[in-house]
Each structure stands twice: as C-alpha cells, then as structure tokens.
Amino acid sequence: MASSSYITDILRRPPERTFLGRLKAGDEISYLTTLACAASILLIVGLIVAELWTKSQPTVQTFGWKFLSTSTWNPNSDQYGALPFIYGTCVTSAVALIISIPLGVGAAIFLAEMAPPRLSNMLTFLIELLAAVPSVIYGLLGIFILVPLIREYLVPALRNTFGYLPIFEGPFYGVSMLSAGLVLAVMVVPFIVSVSREVLLAVPTDQREAALALGATKWETTWDIVLPNASTGILGSVFLALARALGETMAVTMVIGNTPKIAASLFAPGYSIAAVIANEFAEANGKLYISSLIFLGLVLFGLTIVINAVARILILMTTRKAA
Amino acid sequence: MRLLGLTRFSRGNFAAAAVTVMAAALPMTAQVNLTGAGATFPAPIYQKWFSDYQSIGHVQINYQAIGSGGGIKSVTEGTVDFGASDAALTDAQIQNFKDKHNGHTILLFPTVLGAAVPTYNIPGVTQQLNFTPQALAGIYLGTITKWNDKEIASANPGVKLPSTDIVVIHRSEGSGTTYCWTDYLSKVSPEWKSKVGKNASVDWPTGLGAKGNDGVAGLLKQQAGSIGYVELIYAVQNHLPFGKVKNASGEFVKADLASVTAAAGALKEMPADFRVSITNETGKGVYPISTFTWLLVPSQWSDQGKKNAMVSFLKWAITTGQNSVEALDYAKLPASVVAKEQKQIADIQ
C-alpha cells in the first residue's frame, strides 16, 4: 500500500548529515557553546598574563631575576625588589592555613557526620554567610577587636610557652604577620567548611553502613572510611582557601603593618603582594615604579600557580602511596 | 502574559517619548558635563563645590577621588577633563603632558590649603607637645627611639615624658599627606633628604604602615607610645591630640586654619605656574607642614562649552567658593594668590 511504503521509506532514510540536521540534535550546540565558555576562560587568563608581561617589561629589563631576590623597595631611588612581599604573602597564607584547615575540616566533619540535619543546615547557612562579609569589615574587626585580644592574651601566652622560638620573638605592635594570618584564617574557614561538608556528604552511605556493620565505631568510620574517600575534595577546598588567602588585599593591608622587611618573627610587621599593589598603584609615578607594581601582580599570579602545582603533586604522591 | 508584558513595554515607550517631547519643547539651559579625578584630601570640599555650583552654573561635575597620582595619569591620558593633585607636577610630568597634547601645557590652580600634623598617644601625657624639626626627623629616621630623648624633652619643659620606645606610624598607601610630610622632613634634615627623600610613598627607615588617616588613628589609639601624622582636618574632626611644630622662625605653632593660610601668605614669591612647596616657610604664626592642593586644567580645550564651564567654575571656586571652605576645616587661599590665579584663568583656551 502507498501509505505503508511511505512510512518504511522514512524509516529507511539515512539520518540527515546536513549541518542544520546535526544542529537539530542539540549535542553540537551544547558542545560548541561549552567549548566557547571554556576557551573564553583560557583566553582571559592568557590576556591577563600577556598584558602583565608587556607592561612589566621595563622592570624585567632593569632588574631581571634580581627583582625576585632583592628586598629594597624605594620609589625615590627607583630600586625595587619583591622578596619581602613574596615572603609576607607566603607566611600569612601559611599561618592562615595552619589554623583554618583543622578548624574547617573539624567543623565540616561535625556538620556532615555528627550534627542532626536541621542543626547542620542552619550552621552551614551561618558559616556561608561569613564568606559573604566584605573584607574591609574583616579588616576593621581585625584592627579594632582581634588585635587588642591578640595583644592581651595570645602574645603573652605564646611568649610564655614558645618564647624560645625565633618566630615568637621581639616586640609586638599589634599589626603583624600573625594578626594578618589570624584574620585570613577567619576569612578562609567558611570556604573549607562549606566545600568539605558537601564532599563528606557525597561519600556513599553504603560505605558508612559497611564499616559500621563490620563493627567500626562512628568515629572509626568517619576517620578511616569517610575522610579518605573525601580527601581529594577536602584538599580542593583547601586550595580555594589558599587562593583567597594569597590574593586577599583589604583586610590584610589593615592589619599586616605594611612594612617591606623580612623578619623571622610572626610578631613583626610585614607586607603582602596584593597589599602593596593596592596601596601604591594609585599614587605610583614613574615608569619603572608602575611597571614594578605590575610585575608584582605577575609574581602573585606565578606564585599561585607554583603553590597549586606543588600541592597537586603532593596529592598525587599521597594517593599513590595509599593505593 | 506576553500580551500584558507587551502592553506595559509600549506604555513605557510612550511615556519616554512624551518626556522627550516635553523636554524638547522647554527652553533648554544647556547642561554641560565635566569629569575630574584625583586627590582624596580635598575631595569633600570639591564635592560640596560641585554640588553647590551645579545650580549656579548649570554644570554637572563628576569627581572621582582616586588619588593624586591617578588624577595626574588620567588628565594626561585625556580620560578626564581635569585632574587634581596634592603635589605640584614635576617638570617631567608637565613635559609628558605636553608630548601627548601637541605641546599644549597643563595649568595648576591652587584651590585650598591643608596641613599634616604630628599626633601621638603617650600614656600619662595630656599636654600638647612641642616638636622641633630635628625631633620629627630623628623619630622618623629611627635615630630618636625613646620619648624622653633630650631633643624632645628640651622642647617640652614641665612635661614628664616616659622612657618608653617610640612606635613610629606612617601611611602605607601613597598619599598627598605623606608627600607633604616627607617634603617637610627633606627640607629640615639633610640626612632625611639624602637617605629617604620626598614622595607620595617612600622607603621608610622605621615604623609601621597604616592605611589611610583612619588606619593611622586606629593604630595610634591602640599602641601606647606611638606617633603618627594625619591631615589637619582629620585630626580636628576626630579630636585627636596633635603637637605644635617649630617653624623656621623658631616659633612653636599649632596647626589651624589661620596658621596654614599664613604659610601660603608668607611665601615671598609665588612662581608663575603656582608649582611651589610651602613647607618650612619663614614668618610669624606660620605652620611649617602646610601645602596647597591643586586643580590640574589643560590649557587647550577642543570643546568650547566645556571650556567655558571650567573657566566659570574656577572663577567661582577661588572667589565665592572660598567662603565655604572653612566650614569643612580647610584653610582658604590668601588674597594675593587668588588675584594671581585670576590672571592665569585667561590662559585657558
């Protein structure tokens, strides 16, 4: 019959290979769109690096690698060295992570594993609110509330217990790398808690049930089964925190003391890369001065990449060992 | 829904069209827009001037307080109509402007005066301290480290100064106040001049950096035995204690509106381009750490409407506008400077 042959005709027809026909499928559209999104991010990063590199040429040509290893920063004699800023950035971020990792992961474990769901949701909401507080507020809280507390309680306590360590020596003026590290710790904790909690919740319930069925206690289950499963994700949250700590500007500049000197003591004032750029860029005059500040931006970029790479290698090594 | 949305849209369009028609029918007083950027120190008085002047001259002036360096950069690049700076332009900066504008120069117009004052927090000391130039330079160089140093003590008979360490605080970000402060120290101390020099930010031999006047004041309040410098206006408005400074005539002077204006009046000869530093001036009642702040106006304008607006605003600001500066704690220009500026306004083409 005519009608049946028409239907079989359609069924036999090979799928359309024209461009429009392919587009109808939707796969290609989504592929191209998402590809464009991904490419645009790469493009932005590439453009930033290229722009920083071209604008920092005067500094590169004048100082070369010495820029990274000298510690004079004198706009009047046009001498620029980045070492104190690199040092300050690394030290404050390290202090922040040393405090915030145990605190953040501990809180995440409680919220994901121990707390009743309703309490957990409420607390998580509150912690995420912390992430939305503008950094200038953290800076003000730091200088007016945290610094007096540190001066009153923390510094004497550290002096009495670990005073023999060079990192807790010398006079304390309130603003210091220690204060900056503590303020940063408060600022990055929400990132660690929020992401780590999600990761812990994503560990399949079967795993927990299996461990419990084998006679493990609740804590053994968490420590030996859930945490190892979530370790990569937790490390991811730490990277996020680290990125925030490295790049934080406003809060740091308010409590770090803004002194480009390298001191072993955490009580001493320091300076960070982001802080010096924010402080001096608007008033910078002179080609070499501006280009040195721009080069500092590139250094911060590089520093972030290096630290991330090192951390990633560390993960690879630990996971391989575990395997 | 879509129909409703469409109706709403077109209704909005009709309204907009009606407003346009009505506006066109009204006799138009042409509103000119000017954009400026620069110094933060005079920003409060500039904002007041611009808003007061809007109803007088029908000029909308937008001002971004991005800092003196940013103001110089923006006006040189031509991204704003005029700039503002707390430090007079250097020869190189003017040359740079000329290179980018076919040889046409940029004019500097002093608008108001400001000052930097030494403020301190010494437990047990409530009197107003006297500072000699040598004491200030020594403290900021790090050679005077104790409050009972004889350079400080000899200028303050009867004040019981403690033997504690001096904690030095300075501004961390580049600022006109720092420029004024270091310009003064460079004039009174050869050692400061050779070791540190003057600039919006310098390589400080000692001390802690705090961001902004409020940062300096905040740190000062917490740190016993500290000294810092802030703008006079900030110190007055926040009731901070600040010291007298010995001027070049050997007199200890407290900074106030009169003593700052006196510093400008004491100037023997105002250069034709107004590029002058008035720190460490000689004269009775002169406060030595004072400075002009300037508007930076291109000498050549392509848009005559904007040019006329700029010119009439400048005329207004240095005459009528001066009446409102003291209410905001700025020191006003001496009459001699105003007269000279009025001549320079004619150079704007």
Side-chain angles (χ1 to χ4, degrees), chain B residues 143-159:
Chain B
T143 53
I144 295 177
T145 56
K146 303 277 184 198
W147 277 111
N148 61 356
D149 189 283
K150 62 178 190 305
E151 184 62 51
I152 308 173
S154 62
N156 294 285
V159 180

Side-chain angles (χ1 to χ4, degrees), chain B residues 3 28 30-31 87 111 143-144 157 159 178 204 240 252 337:
Chain B
L3 196 67
M28 291 280 283
Q31 172 96 328
T111 48
T143 53
I144 295 177
V159 180
T178 298
W204 296 95
L240 299 179
F252 284 99
V337 176

Side-chain angles (χ1 to χ4, degrees), chain A residues 127-204:
Chain A
I127 288 167
E128 280 165 4
L129 268 187
L130 283 180
V133 174
S135 53
V136 63
I137 305 288
Y138 278 111
L140 286 171
L141 288 174
I143 195 162
F144 289 113
I145 292 165
L146 196 63
V147 163
L149 288 176
I150 296 172
R151 189 204 311 276
E152 200 92 342
Y153 302 105
L154 186 64
V155 169
L158 285 171
R159 278 226 177 90
N160 292 338
T161 48
F162 300 110
Y164 53 87
L165 291 175
I167 56 167
F168 298 125
E169 260 177 3
F172 179 77
Y173 297 120
V175 286
S176 61
M177 291 192 280
L178 178 69
S179 315
L182 282 171
V183 170
L184 278 178
V186 177
M187 293 179 76
V188 302
V189 150
F191 291 86
I192 299 183
V193 175
S194 159
V195 176
S196 297
R197 174 179 170 269
E198 293 301 324
V199 173
L200 288 171
L201 286 177
V203 173

